[in-house]
Amino acid sequence: GQNIDQPTEMTATEGAIVQINCTYQTSGFNGLFWYQQHAGEAPTFLSYNVLDGLEEKGRFSSFLSRSKGYSYLLLKELQMKDSASYLCAVRDQKVTFGTGTKLQVIP
Amino acid sequence: GAGVSQSPSNKVTEKGKDVELRCDPISGHTALYWYRQSLGQGLEFLIYFQGNSAPDKSGLPSDRFSAERTGGSVSTLTIQRTQQEDSAVYLCASSGTDYGYTFGSGTRLTVV
């Protein structure tokens, strides 16, 4: 089974940087995903990490440490439209999602 | 089609009735997931199909829930004798690679 832990809510200021952490415990690890979900919409894929290190994609970066069971999503130059829930998901034999972190970006 | 298609987009049903929810994955995608999301909550895993392998049904909450995937493509999630606690958004996702699962827009089920 899996246990995935994320903060429930975060608030950050427009233009700033925010880091959303995710810790997990799994019997077998085969990749970690980050998804963005705006209220009332389906989740959309942001990033995938299977090896240790940082993956950068524009304003968004995702980091993974398999030995620590830890990942973070880094959002730079925050925009109001980044207000959404950010879901961490871990795959062993199947993909299981955490409960998500609701990010509010304020002016 | 270009994306994952789910139907209906909204379904209101009376308690005790059966419902069928449909998912058309992206053509060629071998992996298909069903998740359930209650208001303000995370995604709850229901069932996972991968190619011709036996599905992983470990997330189905009760024997009232079942799902099938015909011909490795379209999937139907059936809920029998619906209860009010079944009210949620049911999301389907598919993938043909190791990453980048694409979600459909979901079916919002309301049991009254």
Side-chain angles (χ1 to χ4, degrees):
Chain A
Q2 296 179 6
N3 186 29
I4 302 170
D5 201 22
Q6 307 178 234
T8 304
E9 295 182 344
M10 298 182 71
T11 302
T13 306
E14 189 178 16
I17 299 173
V18 69
Q19 178 174 312
I20 303 174
N21 296 324
C22 172
T23 58
Y24 64 89
Q25 295 173 316
T26 182
S27 54
F29 179 81
N30 196 20
L32 185 144
F33 302 81
W34 283 96
Y35 279 80
Q36 179 191 60
Q37 186 177 28
H38 285 100
E41 298 181 11
T44 55
F45 170 78
L46 289 178
S47 68
Y48 172 71
N49 294 68
V50 66
L51 299 176
D52 291 350
L54 188 68
E55 295 278 344
E56 297 187 76
K57 191 184 296 185
R59 294 190 299 115
F60 292 8
S61 303
S62 57
F63 172 83
L64 174 67
S65 169
R66 289 171 295 171
S67 62
K68 296 181 179 177
Y70 168 67
S71 173
Y72 66 73
L73 181 69
L74 193 71
L75 290 74
K76 304 176 186 175
E77 302 168 16
L78 280 172
Q79 302 175 8
M80 299 300 291
K81 67 178 182 180
D82 297 330
S83 293
S85 288
Y86 291 85
L87 310 175
C88 173
V90 174
R91 181 168 67 187
D92 49 19
Q93 285 77 42
K94 62 180 182 285
V95 177
T96 302
F97 282 79
T99 54
T101 299
K102 186 174 182 180
L103 173 67
Q104 182 181 17
V105 180
I106 58 176
Chain B
V4 178
S5 178
Q6 291 188 246
S7 60
S9 55
N10 280 283
K11 176 72 176 179
V12 180
T13 190
E14 292 181 352
K15 178 181 173 181
K17 300 280 189 180
D18 298 352
V19 295
E20 283 190 353
L21 312 180
R22 177 187 170 102
C23 173
D24 276 287
I26 293 173
S27 178
H29 278 193
T30 57
L32 187 148
Y33 282 85
W34 284 97
Y35 293 90
R36 176 169 73 173
Q37 189 171 35
S38 300
L39 188 63
Q41 303 298 310
L43 274 68
E44 176 188 3
F45 167 78
L46 296 178
I47 188 168
Y48 166 47
F49 296 89
Q50 174 60 60
N52 296 320
S53 302
D56 182 338
K57 304 180 181 180
S58 60
L60 295 178
S62 77
D63 59 8
R64 296 187 296 105
F65 288 72
S66 63
E68 62 178 21
R69 189 177 184 193
T70 54
S73 180
V74 172
S75 178
T76 302
L77 177 68
T78 301
I79 308 173
Q80 296 178 311
R81 306 181 302 280
T82 51
Q83 304 294 314
Q84 288 185 329
E85 61 263 28
D86 300 334
S87 297
V89 175
Y90 289 81
L91 290 162
C92 174
S94 73
S95 175
T97 61
D98 284 341
Y99 57 90
Y101 289 80
T102 302
F103 280 83
S105 298
T107 294
R108 181 175 298 278
L109 175 66
T110 304
V111 182
V112 298

